[in-house]
Amino acid sequence: MKQTIRMAVLFGLLAMSLVLLAIHIFPELGRQGKRQDSQRLLSQMGRFEQVAEIPLGKVEIRGFRQMGSTPGLVRLSPAGDRLVIGTENGDVMVFNIDGSSVWRRKIGMGKISALEYSPDGGRILIGENSQQGAVICVDAATGGEKWRRNSVDELGVDLRQKTFPGIMSIAMDESGNSYAVALRSIRFPNGQTDYFARIYKFDANGRVELFPRDHNLDVWVSWCDIDPSGNLLVFATSDYTPGPYRRYQNNIYQFDARTGQNRWSLHTETVEPYERTNMRFGPKWSQDGKYMSGVSADGRAFFVDAAGKLVWSRVLSAPQRIQGIFVNATGLHTQQIGSYAIFSTGNTYNRANWQLPTPVEHPQSNSVFLFDREGNLRKRRKLGGMIEEMKLVGQELAVAVGRNIRTKDASIHGVALLSAPELELVDWLPAAGPCVAVAASPKHVVAMEAPLQLDSGEIVGSYRILVWRKTGM
Amino acid sequence: MYNRQVWEATPADTPIHKMDVRIKLALLAAVMLFAVGLEGARPLFFLFVCSLGMHFVARSSVQRWQVLAVFLLVGLWGTMVSQALFYNQEPRTMIACLVSPTTPWIGEWTGGIFIYREGLEHGAVQALRSGTMLTCGLLICWTTDPRQLLQCFLHWRMPFEVAFMVITSLRFLPVIFEETAVVFTAQRLRGFEPARSLSPVRWIRTAFYVLFPILARSLRRAATLALSVESRGFGRGNSRANLPMLPLPQQFACVGIFAVILVGATLKVIYSLQHNGVAYFPQLRGVYDFMAVWL
């Protein structure tokens, strides 16, 4: 009898170990999409209810010491009935808005760096960072590949140094053309950096045109936007080791999207202690196609007309010298609604080394600013955590709020819904971990949450998608 | 476990027992190479489960499953726990704190003892590798007569000395376990109770009490064996053994196994060249993606 019990325990332990291993290795075995009715959570004002949670697997759990957010992208289809997710683990997944899976595919060796739905919702464009730096167009319904275009032919690759080309962002125009910004940078031991950037225009069938037509840009470009008519392509530049030998010294460039000709470029003054104005996100066109708004990493907002004239620039956050180092809140995103422009700032960072902590929090950090076209500040709202992404839907602005590396307050994570353009808080959709991406439609708000390790060792949140639906819809 | 019968090959009417020893060794080589070459937890888990499944096909006895379960559990959890404690790569995520850095003496000395999630995962991969090899090795041990193995090695022109050593070690395995049982029995008769306490000092003392007699007896046995084989003119005769040609289906199986090994090795080399920045072939992007995702 004793022998039998001993054997049963032994085999039970082995079986349990194997089951635990299997669940850990194949997390999809335990994946549950839909949230049960009894578990429904309401937003702060009760306007939204959480209807689905989609686990996305395991990722590195960051703490407050590491700068940079957990990568991940989420986009809603134009009809708002499906969402596409690009994860840190290289998965591209499409789900129905209720959390049920439609299809998924692995991107392979590359890292997903950009993701967009086409305006008709029939295609999904995926940008990757790999030896080939490809833009992959897939069928939104099935996930089947339609075409693929590599940027390595223009930007090159260094296998040994692992400097690969990557797609930084993708913009779409109303005619179904897509614009992808590709970039490769090489950092040399002497501190100098070489950049190779190009913008690709694809039609629906993958036929390509290049901007500029015959050479690479020798500066950092990570963003572009196309005006509502689809004729004017605009992008901004950055250069972290500026030098006089650069061909592209200016900050904003506009190209004719039909002919590929450079129409104008704009140079902006620098501010101490910066050597150059760097713009990573923006400029963004207004809905009427008359103006562009941009924001620079040194904390300034710019408003430019379609002819390339600087209408105004305003300081969102000024660098401050504290204990011998410059601290500032980086300028991040911009949106335009009607005759207003919205800008955001991120976490406080150390100018000497952005990975090092700062002695204080910059008072203008983690905020959203509203300006009118005359450059008057109409409103500023501090959101307490890193503004990871902003999405405008109708008259509301959905803002993904992530970590605050200074205050380390874990209660500020979630999605803030602000009225646009007033920037009044309409609702608050809380999340346990920092929100790193957001997408919104008139009926739904979708956020990507990342796990975070607090200084106490406790882990809050997980790598997952949270779907909220407007109540009563 | 200490029963000699558990360790020795026994005849039975199963496909594994009937399989030619050459096919078994080719399969074993393939599994070993894949266990070492594969890096993903998913294919390794699949390989491990397949190797366990072979024991079902071979209808291994309950006692043998018991032995296998003990070895696998010790290997699995031992590797996972040790890797979870001593993992030093980045990134690493603490999931539990065993000793706080502020604990007097040991905490200050060690900087705290933590369990790292990535360490557990790394340990699981290592444990699956060793578990697969152990499972397949025991399967061969339990289903193949050592004389057949020796014949096969000699047929493949393995140096006689090496083949003899391999087979002798296999033959000695049951003997060593049997001797361990004898030593334990002798110790118990003298009033020694090794499992009475959980004190580490006592466990170390027990290990010495048990290991020294086993070592002494093994050395004595080895000396006797050496004398015996030398007196019979070890290695001076014809050391070539001829096995009959494999039947055609088994020849095909053998070719298939070697083809799988070759394909696996080629894929691994291609991927390693790309991973180390030596050579990248854009037309093989699909292969690279497959390797990155599944293998």
Side-chain angles (χ1 to χ4, degrees):
Chain A
M1 182 66 183
K2 206 173 170 184
Q3 180 75 9
T4 315
I5 292 172
R6 202 184 295 165
M7 261 169 30
V9 169
L10 190 65
F11 291 134
L13 276 174
L14 182 65
M16 194 187 71
S17 304
L18 292 179
V19 169
L20 284 175
L21 261 182
I23 290 172
H24 186 78
I25 292 170
F26 303 95
E28 55 271 27
L29 291 176
R31 192 166 280 175
Q32 294 291 320
K34 291 183 184 178
R35 171 175 277 283
Q36 298 299 311
D37 281 354
S38 57
Q39 293 175 290
R40 279 194 178 162
L41 300 171
L42 288 176
S43 62
Q44 195 178 60
M45 310 292 180
R47 294 174 71 238
F48 283 83
E49 58 182 349
Q50 193 178 312
V51 290
E53 266 181 30
I54 305 167
L56 301 176
K58 293 183 289 292
V59 284
E60 174 195 349
I61 301 176
R62 297 177 188 224
F64 287 113
R65 288 181 193 163
Q66 297 131 299
M67 296 290 278
S69 308
T70 304
L73 298 157
V74 58
R75 301 284 182 262
L76 271 166
S77 65
D81 58 341
R82 284 186 174 177
L83 59 142
V84 59
I85 303 158
T87 72
E88 160 75 344
N89 305 320
D91 288 310
V92 179
M93 299 179 273
V94 169
F95 289 89
N96 287 315
I97 201 72
D98 63 1
S100 55
S101 176
V102 180
W103 56 261
R104 64 183 291 168
R105 63 179 282 165
K106 288 260 182 196
I107 205 73
M109 284 196 308
K111 291 269 176 196
I112 299 166
S113 52
L115 195 65
E116 282 303 330
Y117 258 106
S118 64
D120 63 0
R123 290 169 292 136
I124 294 170
L125 280 110
I126 306 161
E128 57 142 26
N129 186 319
S130 73
Q131 286 88 338
Q132 287 165 284
V135 176
I136 305 158
C137 178
V138 297
D139 188 308
T142 63
E145 187 174 316
K146 289 184 161 221
W147 51 262
R148 170 189 289 253
R149 176 69 162 82
N150 300 323
S151 62
V152 67
D153 300 335
E154 288 77 31
L155 308 188
V157 63
D158 187 334
L159 295 173
R160 204 165 282 277
Q161 299 298 324
K162 293 198 186 297
T163 60
F164 300 153
I167 304 301
M168 304 298 285
S169 65
I170 296 173
M172 310 287 294
D173 69 14
E174 291 304 318
S175 321
N177 297 313
S178 48
Y179 297 81
V181 181
L183 174 74
R184 178 166 83 98
S185 63
I186 307 168
R187 181 102 183 175
F188 295 102
N190 64 5
Q192 190 195 322
T193 311
D194 275 359
Y195 301 102
F196 305 90
R198 208 69 173 267
I199 298 173
Y200 296 78
K201 176 187 177 182
F202 303 101
D203 67 9
N205 298 316
R207 277 189 295 273
V208 68
E209 290 173 25
L210 300 177
F211 300 93
R213 289 283 194 260
D214 56 353
H215 63 274
N216 291 327
L217 301 157
D218 61 352
V219 282
W220 174 294
V221 183
S222 53
W223 177 275
C224 74
D225 198 19
I226 187 82
D227 77 326
S229 69
N231 296 330
L232 300 173
L233 173 74
V234 67
F235 63 88
T237 65
S238 299
D239 184 357
Y240 298 96
T241 53
Y245 48 87
R246 301 270 193 228
R247 179 171 175 175
Y248 286 85
Q249 294 279 348
N250 291 340
N251 303 109
I252 301 175
Y253 288 83
Q254 191 186 79
F255 278 70
D256 190 312
R258 294 158 299 181
T259 64
Q261 286 218 311
N262 182 8
R263 288 168 56 91
W264 54 258
S265 64
L266 175 71
H267 181 79
T268 59
E269 294 302 314
T270 56
V271 289
E272 280 291 327
Y274 300 94
E275 296 164 322
R276 191 187 193 278
T277 304
N278 290 324
M279 301 172 81
R280 296 183 62 156
F281 303 101
K284 181 92 181 160
W285 281 99
S286 62
Q287 285 134 333
D288 59 9
K290 291 181 179 171
Y291 296 97
M292 286 160 282
S293 58
V295 62
S296 61
D298 55 48
R300 285 178 297 160
F302 299 92
F303 204 66
V304 181
D305 69 13
K309 183 181 158 221
L310 181 66
V311 181
W312 50 259
S313 80
R314 297 287 183 270
V315 175
L316 304 176
S317 67
Q320 303 291 328
R321 193 185 189 103
I322 304 207
Q323 294 175 5
I325 56 162
F326 278 101
V327 296
N328 199 1
T330 184
L332 277 180
H333 308 288
T334 179
Q335 287 280 348
Q336 294 205 42
I337 176 163
S339 54
Y340 296 91
I342 298 167
F343 304 92
S344 72
T345 54
N347 268 316
T348 310
Y349 73 97
N350 185 335
R351 159 88 177 126
N353 183 340
W354 73 292
Q355 289 285 352
L356 294 177
T358 56
V360 293
E361 185 180 33
H362 197 289
Q364 303 291 86
S365 63
N366 300 324
S367 303
V368 188
F369 303 80
L370 177 74
F371 286 87
D372 62 21
R373 284 187 172 175
E374 285 70 49
N376 302 308
L377 176 65
R378 305 298 287 262
K379 180 96 179 177
R380 177 194 159 222
R381 178 168 290 279
K382 196 167 171 80
L383 289 170
M386 178 78 171
I387 295 170
E388 299 281 3
E389 198 169 21
M390 299 195 301
K391 283 286 159 61
L392 196 61
V393 51
Q395 297 295 305
E396 287 181 2
L397 184 72
V399 184
V401 182
R403 298 174 303 170
N404 187 320
I405 52 170
R406 273 303 309 172
T407 65
K408 303 181 179 180
D409 182 358
S411 67
I412 46 96
H413 305 145
V415 177
L417 279 177
L418 307 175
S419 62
E422 299 85 7
L423 294 191
E424 294 298 334
L425 186 67
V426 176
D427 207 343
W428 172 252
L429 285 52
C435 283
V436 295
V438 68
S441 72
K443 291 180 186 172
H444 293 92
V445 173
V446 179
M448 180 180 280
E449 184 194 70
L452 172 69
Q453 185 149 41
L454 307 180
D455 286 351
S456 64
E458 183 194 352
I459 295 167
V460 295
S462 62
Y463 198 41
R464 61 182 172 175
I465 291 289
L466 305 172
V467 183
W468 286 279
R469 184 178 60 199
K470 239 177 203 167
T471 47
M473 297 198 87
Chain B
M1 185 165 178
Y2 300 114
N3 180 0
R4 188 173 174 159
Q5 302 298 319
V6 173
W7 294 97
E8 286 179 343
T10 44
D13 187 23
T14 73
I16 303 280
H17 285 83
K18 283 182 193 164
M19 203 184 282
D20 189 278
V21 66
R22 286 166 284 184
I23 303 281
K24 281 188 203 174
L25 287 177
L27 259 178
L28 183 69
V31 171
M32 299 293 166
L33 287 174
F34 275 95
V36 173
L38 292 174
E39 286 172 28
R42 288 168 181 239
L44 277 170
F45 186 80
F46 179 72
L47 197 64
F48 177 62
V49 170
C50 284
S51 60
L52 278 182
M54 302 282 262
H55 279 273
F56 280 107
V57 178
R59 288 192 226 131
S60 294
S61 65
V62 176
Q63 285 82 12
R64 284 180 174 170
W65 272 104
Q66 217 175 333
V67 169
L68 189 60
V70 168
F71 282 150
L72 288 178
L73 280 172
V74 170
L76 190 70
W77 289 106
T79 315
M80 282 172 66
V81 170
S82 62
Q83 290 291 335
L85 288 175
F86 302 112
Y87 189 75
N88 63 356
Q89 304 293 307
E90 293 290 344
R92 55 181 187 176
T93 311
M94 284 183 276
I95 52 173
C97 174
L98 299 183
V99 177
S100 163
T102 55
T103 307
W105 189 71
I106 190 160
E108 290 161 9
W109 182 52
T110 58
I113 300 175
F114 307 97
I115 289 182
Y116 296 103
R117 189 187 76 179
E118 288 78 3
L120 270 176
E121 289 165 359
H122 182 65
V125 167
Q126 302 302 335
L128 285 173
R129 277 200 178 113
S130 52
T132 306
M133 293 188 197
L134 177 80
T135 309
C136 287
L138 284 179
L139 182 75
I140 299 278
C141 236
W142 289 337
T143 59
T144 315
D145 189 327
R147 284 169 299 185
Q148 285 181 343
L149 277 176
L150 183 62
Q151 271 189 323
C152 178
F153 290 152
L154 296 180
H155 178 73
W156 283 347
R157 295 176 188 279
M158 184 188 271
F160 188 71
E161 293 80 359
V162 178
F164 180 76
M165 276 196 293
V166 172
I167 298 305
T168 306
S169 62
L170 276 180
R171 282 230 183 246
F172 259 90
L173 204 63
V175 175
I176 286 176
F177 278 98
E178 199 177 41
E179 282 183 352
T180 309
V182 170
V183 170
F184 267 123
T185 309
Q187 302 275 18
R188 274 203 206 97
L189 288 174
R190 293 169 66 189
F192 183 66
E193 293 177 49
R196 199 179 62 189
S197 151
L198 288 176
S199 157
V201 178
R202 192 174 174 80
W203 279 97
I204 292 169
R205 202 188 303 159
T206 305
F208 275 107
Y209 286 154
V210 174
L211 285 177
F212 276 120
I214 296 170
L215 189 65
R217 293 185 66 151
S218 297
L219 286 173
R220 200 179 306 140
R221 193 180 291 273
T224 310
L225 183 70
L227 270 176
S228 166
V229 295
E230 278 295 321
S231 62
R232 293 181 188 193
F234 175 73
R236 289 190 181 83
N238 182 13
S239 58
R240 179 95 165 90
N242 288 317
L243 287 176
M245 277 281 282
L246 281 172
L248 204 59
Q250 297 208 20
Q251 279 186 33
F252 277 124
C254 219
V255 170
I257 291 165
F258 282 111
V260 168
I261 293 176
L262 197 66
V263 169
T266 310
L267 287 176
K268 182 78 183 172
V269 169
I270 288 173
Y271 191 78
S272 299
L273 288 177
Q274 159 302 114
H275 185 72
N276 295 306
V278 178
Y280 176 81
F281 307 100
Q283 57 273 30
L284 296 181
R285 174 64 194 257
V287 175
Y288 294 134
D289 287 347
F290 176 79
M291 292 284 289
V293 172
W294 298 110
L295 301 180

